[in-house]
Amino acid sequence: MTHTLKRTFAVLLLAIFGSTILYNCEPDPDSLGEQLFNQDAAQGNETPYELIAYNINNHDSIRSDASRLISLLNTQGVSTSIGVLGAFTESKFGMQKASYLTQLRMPVDNFDFNGPQAKVDSVVLVLRMPANTADDTYYLSDSLKAPGAYDREDFPIGDEKVPVSIEKKTYPVRKYGKIGTSNSMRINVHEITRFIDPTEKAFMRSNVDVSTGALLGSAVFDGNVSSVTVTRKSDNTNVFTGNLGFRMKLDKDFFQTHIIDKKGKPELQDASNFIRYFKGLKISVDETDKYLFQFSANDMELIMYYKYDKTDNGVVTRPQTTLVFNLGAANAHIGQYEYERAGSEVSTALGASSEQNGDPKLYAQGMGGPSIGIKIPDTTIDELKTLYQKDKAGIVSAKIRLYVDPSSWTNKHSVAGDRKFTILPVDDKKGADGELVSSSFTADLLAGFTMYYYNKDPEYYDFVVTKTVKDIIEAAAANKVLIINPGSFVRDSSGNLWGTKYTTRAFDMNRTIFTGSSDKTNAKRARLMVTYATKKN
């Protein structure tokens, strides 16, 4: 019998006879199941086995520097970085507030501002965030809130104010939290007064503490972004087209005295001097109970519009030009997260967590919140080894099943399909930064198998550990603790995993409560679901 025919025969018999197979062509039970790891092919009866599922307290701290805010790498190795802003409070997890810290640099050293008598007209910070639309959208100003087309007679173009037509389409951004009648939050931009050294551990983590100085700007964000097209009425020429973003004005006098007036001085001599002089920006919100939203950190813009003296054939003019500061990857970037857990359900649960007995509920939260630890107990391993050795049973499928707790808070306003998870084996030590170390992916992920399956009703997740369990039972592999976190693994544009450390957990806004393993009377407790087949002689 050919190898291909044997595989086909195995699948058909599983579908017909359930968990017991006449599999006379394979010489050993450890071969059975290797071709049937995919859940869709495993048709045998599932048998539940006990496991230990417990909460891991990460003390509301996570690596959230630029190296951990990566969502995708392109073919040139350039990353797409994500920041989070906003705040949200609820009884299960308490209050979570997200701010963003970034350095900035001059576009070139010793910038001369095109000559003498430079004067700042305005300074604009642009935040770009994904909207709930495939369209490229843009937010122009607080004064342009009405959707649709309308006219404006005094739109500034250079030194003129001309009549224009403005076309605007508005879309909501992707939010997580309270989305009710009041969507507005005040976004503030402060000067940072402490030098950010990205090589210091203190500046790598989300609970970093920085001092701030001047308030450089403040604006109300109403939860929407808009596409804007401005057309001159006289000849229908395009004056302005806006892409995805939220624009807010900053203090032009601050930039006059701190940037232009420093022309030719050591502060602007080179990047090293500049980032120690102008230490950076903190972007935050006033509120504590609204929602969280993401923005593209690499696409932020800080634009200074200014005029300067220009002499042409003895005629002095004052043309306007721009200076665009560098906010890109060369700078330090940090997601700063604050929590207030007092009185919350998760605070009580973490205080009573037990690695030995498991917990009744499991709490998973991105951005430094708790993780879930999974341990397959020795008693379960012994049962499976007995089946393998005495009954010639081969494991066809093994999954860690976690039911979403039906009584938990759920955010019905979050975007469907946003909830993602990772699972990794944990080494026996902690890293230098205090986080659990996972030096490799699961055997299943390395073999190319699906990481988990989602079932909608009843709501649960099946984390695939078929090869992981087979290796423990059949090849004496180490039975390591598995850790489950919100987020997904970072991949490059070809789909390759970048490494175990690189996930979207540092900016994943989601949270989920699962049923744990300690209540043995709960039919929906966390368990290991194993499908196996027995060889008969």
Side-chain angles (χ1 to χ4, degrees), residues 21-130:
I21 302 178
L22 295 175
Y23 198 77
N24 297 318
C25 301
E26 290 286 2
D28 297 302
D30 61 347
S31 298
L32 184 61
E34 289 180 358
Q35 68 274 35
L36 302 171
F37 293 146
N38 187 292
Q39 174 177 274
D40 297 331
Q43 302 294 324
N45 293 327
E46 287 183 329
T47 302
Y49 290 88
E50 298 300 330
L51 49 73
I52 301 170
Y54 59 94
N55 293 292
I56 297 175
N57 189 348
N58 295 308
H59 305 286
D60 293 335
S61 178
I62 190 174
R63 278 284 298 270
S64 61
D65 55 337
S67 68
R68 297 296 191 273
L69 299 176
I70 300 171
S71 63
L72 179 70
L73 289 171
N74 66 17
T75 53
Q76 288 76 41
V78 178
S79 64
T80 300
S81 296
I82 301 297
V84 182
L85 286 176
F88 178 41
T89 302
E90 41 83 20
S91 62
K92 304 294 183 178
F93 288 86
M95 191 279 291
Q96 180 185 30
K97 188 171 187 176
S99 304
Y100 198 78
L101 313 177
T102 180
Q103 289 176 325
L104 67 161
R105 301 174 189 231
M106 298 289 288
V108 296
D109 295 339
N110 281 322
F111 195 78
D112 69 358
F113 303 100
N114 302 94
Q117 303 301 318
K119 185 72 173 178
V120 177
D121 284 337
S122 63
V123 182
V124 177
L125 177 68
V126 185
L127 300 178
R128 304 190 183 281
M129 61 282 285

Side-chain angles (χ1 to χ4, degrees), residues 236-253:
N236 289 324
T237 58
N238 181 271
V239 173
F240 178 82
T241 299
N243 297 323
L244 181 67
F246 171 73
R247 282 170 76 96
M248 55 187 298
K249 287 186 177 181
L250 303 186
D251 184 353
K252 67 177 183 178
D253 294 334

